Amino acid sequence: MRIKIIVISCFLMSNYSWTQTAGYHGAVSNVGTTSASFLNIGVGARAVAMGGAFAAIADDASALYWNPAGLSRCEHTEIILNHSDWFLDIYHEFAGAVASAGRHGFGLGVTYLGMPDQVVRTIDQPEGTGDYYSASDLALALSYSYEFTDQFVMGFTARYIHQQIYHSSASAGAVDLGALYNPSFFKRLTLGVQIANFGSDLRLRGRSLAQKIDVDENHYSSSQLPAQLETDAFSLPLLFRFGLALKVFESKRNSFTTAIDLLHPANNSESLNAGAEYLFMGTYALRAGYGSLLEKDFQESSGLSLGAGLKIYAGGALMMLDYAYQSHGILENVNRFSCGLRF
């Protein structure tokens, strides 16, 4: 009975998230209305190659991003390193470590989005002032999950978020909630749900916003009075994700898995991710997927993803090498590389 109450509560929370972020249902778009968009960049080449349909799979260290409930199903200690060449020389890095102890799962994750230093240009000095600026995003995550039964798992992530540009920065806190459920009548099916990035707003502060002003030009007041500009506060990209994963077949060394994720973000229209993975000989994997299906103008935002994986067994440890190619419509295509170590 207690498990049923927890499941119902989780879905009620997800429904509350859906209604709160839906807002106006007319033609107005929510694109660009939230901050910290780097939190929407998926991690793990395996998950990305499957089109981002991973909420109900979440059985490796990338569960730190896709669904923290999956930490309890990582049966070993695992480390993952992920690198992505993002758009316009921007680079995206992720590192995570997970471990399980009985019914408990624990995880730590670090996400970083950065860019090379840029020349400061002004109207008076279009070739540069001799100064440089940089911009970066950072997220630190601490996750925990608990396996209530062999059918039901819940987890959460506490995250610290920091954004910086030039001499200004903003910080916020957020939490993710997730759950996984395997129905007893069909154990090859898994249901996953996640509410991500529920937290405080971000507002830039710093000496880049400092100004010298004249509060009363008509009465010859000082023109060098110190002042501080104040930016608007923007909410985090709240996201509700519901996933289904099906083991079409599974043997000792071969398996074929399909998955679908339904997404309701606060900063975009609803969409669907779909993907599949074929693992053969227990060593080689082929993956394919499609992201942002049914999203408004999805052809301009995302699309096909493909990937492959290799497992190398050595000295009681398992190394996992994964690659993903992801199309982004009119934007540049993105290549992702992941390296995992399980022991």
Side-chain angles (χ1 to χ4, degrees), residues 84-95:
S84 303
D85 291 320
W86 208 237
F87 312 124
L88 301 174
D89 297 326
I90 298 173
Y91 46 91
H92 179 259
E93 315 290 349
F94 175 79

Side-chain angles (χ1 to χ4, degrees), residues 14-229:
S14 66
N15 184 63
Y16 173 80
S17 169
W18 190 289
T19 58
Q20 289 298 307
T21 60
Y24 179 74
H25 295 280
V28 177
S29 171
N30 289 328
V31 175
T33 59
T34 60
S35 59
S37 294
F38 78 104
L39 297 175
N40 292 327
I41 301 175
V43 305
R46 178 189 175 202
V48 172
M50 296 180 68
F54 212 68
I57 299 177
D59 58 358
D60 59 25
S62 68
L64 287 163
Y65 175 86
W66 299 100
N67 191 340
L71 300 183
S72 294
R73 298 194 170 177
C74 297
E75 299 178 354
H76 306 274
T77 300
E78 185 175 328
I79 298 171
I80 185 173
L81 301 174
N82 179 93
H83 169 77
S84 303
D85 291 320
W86 208 237
F87 312 124
L88 301 174
D89 297 326
I90 298 173
Y91 46 91
H92 179 259
E93 315 290 349
F94 175 79
V98 301
S100 60
R103 294 182 178 272
H104 306 274
F106 308 89
L108 291 170
V110 180
T111 305
Y112 182 81
L113 184 76
M115 59 185 289
D117 288 348
Q118 305 293 311
V119 176
V120 175
R121 306 176 191 273
T122 65
I123 296 177
D124 296 330
Q125 297 174 285
E127 299 303 320
T129 64
D131 195 6
Y132 292 83
Y133 75 93
S134 62
S136 63
D137 298 322
L138 174 70
L140 305 177
L142 176 64
S143 300
Y144 170 77
S145 69
Y146 182 75
E147 186 177 27
F148 290 88
T149 70
D150 59 353
Q151 294 177 256
F152 182 70
V153 189
M154 284 194 72
F156 79 92
T157 295
R159 183 177 291 109
Y160 168 77
I161 301 158
H162 182 80
Q163 293 192 291
Q164 174 269 327
I165 180 168
Y166 202 26
H167 300 303
S168 297
S169 62
S171 299
V175 295
D176 296 355
L177 299 175
L180 288 170
Y181 176 65
N182 292 102
S184 58
F185 58 87
F186 194 15
K187 293 188 176 180
R188 289 189 177 183
L189 179 69
T190 304
L191 288 74
V193 62
Q194 182 200 32
I195 302 172
N197 308 320
F198 182 79
S200 56
D201 294 344
L202 281 167
R203 184 193 299 271
L204 283 170
R205 293 182 172 89
R207 64 186 179 93
S208 296
L209 299 174
Q211 299 286 317
K212 299 292 185 179
I213 65 169
D214 186 346
V215 295
D216 192 352
E217 296 179 356
N218 294 328
H219 293 84
Y220 306 102
S221 63
S222 173
S223 62
Q224 295 298 309
L225 292 176
Q228 189 80 15
L229 297 177

Side-chain angles (χ1 to χ4, degrees), residues 287-323:
R287 306 176 183 110
Y290 211 98
S292 302
L293 286 164
L294 307 182
E295 180 182 293
K296 184 179 180 181
D297 299 326
F298 78 95
Q299 291 181 340
E300 283 75 34
S301 60
S302 189
L304 179 68
S305 57
L306 300 169
L310 173 66
K311 295 183 177 182
I312 302 173
Y313 300 86
L318 171 63
M319 177 176 288
M320 296 162 288
L321 302 176
D322 296 296
Y323 165 77

